[in-house]
Amino acid sequence: MSSTLRTTQFSVLDRSRTIEGQPQGAALRDTVALARRAEELGYHRFWVSEHHSVPGVAGSAPTVLAAAVAAATSAIRVGTGGVMLPNHRPLVVAEQFGVLESLFPGRIDMGLGRSVGFTGGIRRALGTGKDATDDFGSQLAELLGYFTGTQTAHPQVHARPAEGLRVPAFVLATGAGAQVAAEAGLALVVGDLRRRTKLVEAIGAYRAAFRPSALWERPYVVVSGTVAVAGTRAAARRLLVPEARALAYSRTHGEFPPLRPADDDGAAMSDREREFYDEALHGHLHGTEDEVAGELADLIARTGADEVLVTTSTHDRAGLLESYERLARVTGRAGRG
């Protein structure tokens, strides 16, 4: 095993993907169960995501789900990957994380993104617009100011019980968002693994522009991506098929659907959908334990990542759990799996 795999932190991001034919609530309960298993396997963090009006994702309220995950576990760090700040008032976000940190001290992470709703209708329902990302820097500064008691956007307004608490903050971004993270002195979460050159460039720019802060004295880089591990490379690829098919469907039909079995691979696809499907399967880390170990070591060497955040989704729940168990062995986790 490469020494970098033993010294690099590995964490899990679960998007609460719904399964065709199952109630949406089952996806949320599966997320909590996966968090328990991730803790047993020795993963460092467990994060949940935010999506709105998406049939294929049940995770619409990440701070609520994070509370359930934290209550069901005892040691693993719990957070969001992430709360989309343009969708919320910074005061409310500060209050939510203040409550989480007060209930689960020393275990909460505040992962923040700058995305807005997927469609105009969703954005209107959230009370935001496409240009809301332009204010991300000021929104972030206001949010952090509620924790330190130094925000000036709304004089005499205080976030209770957030003020005075220390919650590690991460920015999920590339490009302009990565620049904001660097200037604010926050950790950076960056993907996607399919575009390695741009990934390395974004990380380099972030490190060069980083300004130390009270939360992070030095740059901290979390590389996020899909990793699938199985007994054979073909079996590992099979785990990727349902998500790739859903992504291709969303690109051609405008709706991200629940996951279907891998047996549907290639069924009734248009030529354009097939192109998106093939693209969606490209660039992810998948294979046997030895194959994935080598690919991960290369990824960490190229990026200098401090941490790898794995965000695999598939229809085969047993296969997904096995993949995380195999990955724990690959990376030398100290869990009981």
Side-chain angles (χ1 to χ4, degrees):
M1 180 195 308
S2 168
S3 61
T4 58
L5 298 185
R6 292 193 300 269
T7 57
T8 303
Q9 296 285 10
F10 279 79
S11 300
V12 176
L13 165 63
D14 192 64
R15 292 188 294 133
S16 303
R17 292 288 277 114
T18 57
I19 302 297
E20 187 177 64
Q22 294 185 9
Q24 294 184 20
L28 299 175
R29 292 187 288 273
D30 283 344
T31 291
V32 175
L34 179 60
R36 293 195 194 99
R37 187 60 179 141
E39 181 173 73
E40 292 173 349
L41 292 168
Y43 286 97
H44 184 50
R45 311 180 200 274
F46 190 94
W47 283 6
V48 296
S49 64
E50 174 183 336
H51 296 272
H52 298 282
S53 190
V54 179
V57 184
S60 58
T63 54
V64 176
L65 185 53
V69 169
T73 55
S74 61
I76 195 170
R77 297 195 64 88
V78 176
T80 55
V83 166
M84 297 300 138
L85 196 52
N87 295 337
H88 309 279
R89 301 302 303 174
L91 172 63
V92 175
V93 176
E95 291 171 337
Q96 291 173 343
F97 279 96
V99 169
L100 284 169
E101 176 63 20
S102 298
L103 291 172
F104 309 100
R107 294 181 57 207
I108 300 301
D109 300 321
M110 186 166 59
L112 305 163
R114 60 195 294 266
S115 297
V116 294
F118 181 65
T119 67
I122 296 172
R123 291 191 291 272
R124 287 190 294 272
L126 291 168
T128 189
K130 277 187 175 181
D131 59 353
T133 59
D134 296 341
D135 296 328
F136 182 66
S138 60
Q139 293 168 339
L140 186 61
E142 181 183 339
L143 170 61
L144 297 175
Y146 283 120
F147 285 91
T148 59
T150 60
Q151 72 83 24
T152 58
H154 303 284
Q156 300 182 331
V157 175
H158 299 269
R160 314 289 189 194
E163 191 169 306
L165 297 180
R166 183 186 177 94
V167 180
F170 302 72
V171 173
L172 286 67
T174 57
Q179 183 71 21
V180 170
E183 293 175 355
L186 303 182
L188 177 69
V189 182
V190 61
D192 115 44
L193 301 186
R194 291 171 294 184
R195 296 169 178 84
R196 303 290 176 88
T197 300
K198 288 186 176 181
L199 182 72
V200 172
E201 290 174 352
I203 291 171
Y206 160 76
R207 289 195 174 111
F210 184 84
R211 300 175 183 174
S213 69
L215 290 175
W216 298 95
E217 295 181 355
R218 65 172 185 84
Y220 190 89
V221 174
V222 182
V223 172
S224 179
T226 298
V227 181
V229 195
T232 66
R233 188 169 182 82
R237 181 189 181 279
R238 185 178 175 83
L239 292 176
L240 304 177
V241 165
E243 181 79 359
R245 181 65 192 269
L247 182 60
Y249 185 92
S250 73
R251 297 289 297 275
T252 52
H253 294 77
E255 182 176 277
F256 202 77
L259 295 176
R260 296 160 56 184
D263 292 339
D264 288 337
D265 180 13
M269 284 191 195
S270 67
D271 290 343
R272 182 167 174 77
E273 191 172 354
R274 166 62 70 174
E275 289 179 9
F276 286 128
Y277 171 76
D278 290 339
E279 180 184 350
L281 283 172
H282 174 71
H284 303 302
L285 303 187
H286 72 283
T288 64
E289 293 179 29
D290 288 342
E291 289 170 335
V292 168
E295 292 189 47
L296 282 172
D298 178 69
L299 174 68
I300 295 167
R302 287 191 63 187
T303 62
D306 300 283
E307 185 172 337
V308 177
L309 181 67
V310 180
T311 177
T312 309
S313 299
T314 189
H315 182 277
D316 179 3
R317 199 71 192 175
L320 178 68
L321 291 173
E322 180 186 340
S323 179
Y324 278 117
E325 290 163 359
R326 288 179 178 273
L327 181 61
R329 289 200 293 269
V330 164
T331 58
R333 301 303 94 189
R336 298 188 298 273

